[in-house]
Amino acid sequence: MIFRTRFAPSPTGPLHLGHAYSALLAYDLARRHDGEFLLRIEDIDQSRAKAVWEQQIYDDLSWLGLRWETPVLRQSDNLATYSVALDELWKRGLLYPCYCKRRDIREAAAAPQEGAPLLGPDGIIYPGTCRTLPRDPNAPLPDNTALRLDLEAVKQVISGPLAFEETGDVLQAETTPHPDVADLQQSVGDVVVSRRDMGTSYHLSVVLDDAHQGITHVVRGKDLYDATPIHVLLQKLLDLPTPSYFHHRLIRDDKGKRLAKRDDARALSKFRAEGATPDDIRRMVGLLPS
């Protein structure tokens, strides 16, 4: 099996030092194991994705000295794959349409008998409002509505811990028991696997894309550690391999806040314009020069 990593940015703004750290880690890891490094463009949110930002991604990564296999997978070109997976889950009775708006979810989760809304790795924990609505798995897959994974039904087909191998900075897997589906019900709720205007979701598309590209080691920030059991569950449901995970530390600003795409002061393009070199960027994020 080929050792294969990937970097999967969204073309919704400039790459910053945090992106550079993640991309360089994945690239260096693949080179160290004589493997392959892939680039994927996560552009399922077409309302925010821009061609100019996608081109900037290519320019910035090339400037850093990264090289990747081609062609580059763009999620917007892979919607048919996501649709097939959704159709399978729907026919198995594991999905239900959700018509709630964000305000509905906030209000239901904050009802007096429930207390304050609880937050999980997917936002406010969904209280299951639409789970009991009539649905027919023999009918066509609903469109133009959100689809949620029915974890109550999933418990009937998946048992045991949602285990994965953690090889990176975040070694919580050694001390924290892996959750099972019942635990996910409490900490996440019925997760959205297809958003109304996208035809998929981050959770579904990243799982299918990693499997399609044969990714053996996923390198990403520790902010996604708690979402990984969701991905392991989808891998099990869709009979896909579970890669190893490397959840790395986050690059933060002087006040300890995680960098975001709006932090233009730390954009790679700004450092480039000011005369920084790729090795300067490596030193800024705590990596050895190439």
Side-chain angles (χ1 to χ4, degrees):
M1 179 182 297
I2 298 175
F3 189 103
R4 189 175 285 126
T5 66
R6 50 77 165 173
F7 178 58
S10 298
T12 57
L15 297 186
H16 53 59
L17 289 177
H19 293 114
Y21 179 61
S22 192
L24 288 166
L25 276 179
Y27 186 76
D28 290 353
L29 189 64
R31 286 200 305 174
R32 190 156 59 245
H33 291 272
D34 197 26
E36 294 178 352
F37 169 81
L38 303 185
L39 175 62
R40 179 164 76 230
I41 301 298
E42 296 195 339
D43 62 345
I44 55 173
D45 188 352
Q46 286 289 292
S47 66
R48 299 176 59 218
K50 305 296 182 185
V52 63
W53 293 124
E54 183 174 334
Q55 185 58 52
Q56 187 70 59
I57 288 170
Y58 300 141
D59 293 344
D60 284 343
L61 296 181
S62 294
W63 173 75
L64 281 175
L66 276 58
R67 302 293 180 265
W68 51 87
E69 301 294 318
T70 56
V72 171
L73 175 64
R74 300 171 74 249
Q75 289 185 330
S76 58
D77 296 330
N78 207 28
L79 295 178
T81 299
Y82 312 143
S83 181
V84 169
L86 288 168
D87 193 57
E88 175 188 339
L89 294 172
W90 172 257
K91 289 177 178 176
R92 292 167 62 188
L94 300 179
L95 302 182
Y96 63 87
C98 179
Y99 305 99
C100 296
K101 297 180 180 179
R102 291 183 180 180
R103 175 185 289 183
D104 299 329
I105 297 172
R106 287 197 301 269
E107 290 177 351
Q113 68 272 21
E114 299 294 342
L118 298 177
L119 295 177
D122 205 40
I124 294 177
I125 298 174
Y126 184 64
T129 308
C130 292
R131 187 189 303 126
T132 58
L133 295 178
R135 47 179 151 146
D136 181 5
N138 295 316
L141 184 73
D143 58 8
N144 201 34
T145 186
L147 295 171
R148 290 185 179 273
L149 193 61
D150 186 344
L151 293 185
E152 191 62 37
V154 168
K155 284 195 299 186
Q156 309 307 312
V157 295
I158 297 293
S159 62
L162 301 170
F164 59 93
E165 180 186 26
E166 174 60 50
T167 65
D169 294 349
V170 182
L171 296 179
Q172 297 179 31
E174 295 182 355
T175 57
T176 304
H178 290 290
D180 58 17
V181 179
D183 294 325
L184 282 189
Q185 277 188 294
Q186 298 298 317
S187 63
V188 180
D190 293 341
V191 65
V192 172
V193 291
S194 180
R195 300 194 178 280
R196 184 171 64 86
D197 298 324
M198 295 183 188
T200 185
S201 69
Y202 166 73
H203 297 304
L204 181 70
S205 58
V206 74
V207 163
L208 290 168
D209 293 342
D210 283 341
H212 173 74
Q213 294 189 296
I215 303 302
T216 61
H217 289 73
V218 173
V219 178
R220 61 189 185 189
K222 68 178 184 180
D223 54 321
L224 287 169
Y225 181 89
D226 289 338
T228 303
I230 300 172
H231 301 166
V232 175
L233 175 58
L234 287 169
Q235 288 155 1
K236 287 180 175 294
L237 288 173
L238 295 169
D239 196 24
L240 303 173
T242 295
S244 296
Y245 288 88
F246 185 133
H247 292 95
H248 58 72
R249 65 183 175 87
L250 302 179
I251 302 298
R252 301 182 180 275
D253 62 19
D254 297 339
K255 297 181 180 180
K257 185 178 179 181
R258 188 185 73 180
L259 299 185
K261 287 186 176 178
R262 60 182 176 272
D263 296 314
D264 290 346
R266 292 168 179 79
L268 294 185
S269 56
K270 182 176 185 295
F271 289 114
R272 291 174 60 187
E274 293 175 348
T277 68
D279 279 348
D280 290 333
I281 300 298
R282 281 181 168 272
R283 281 187 283 267
M284 288 179 192
V285 298
L287 295 176
L288 295 174
S290 58

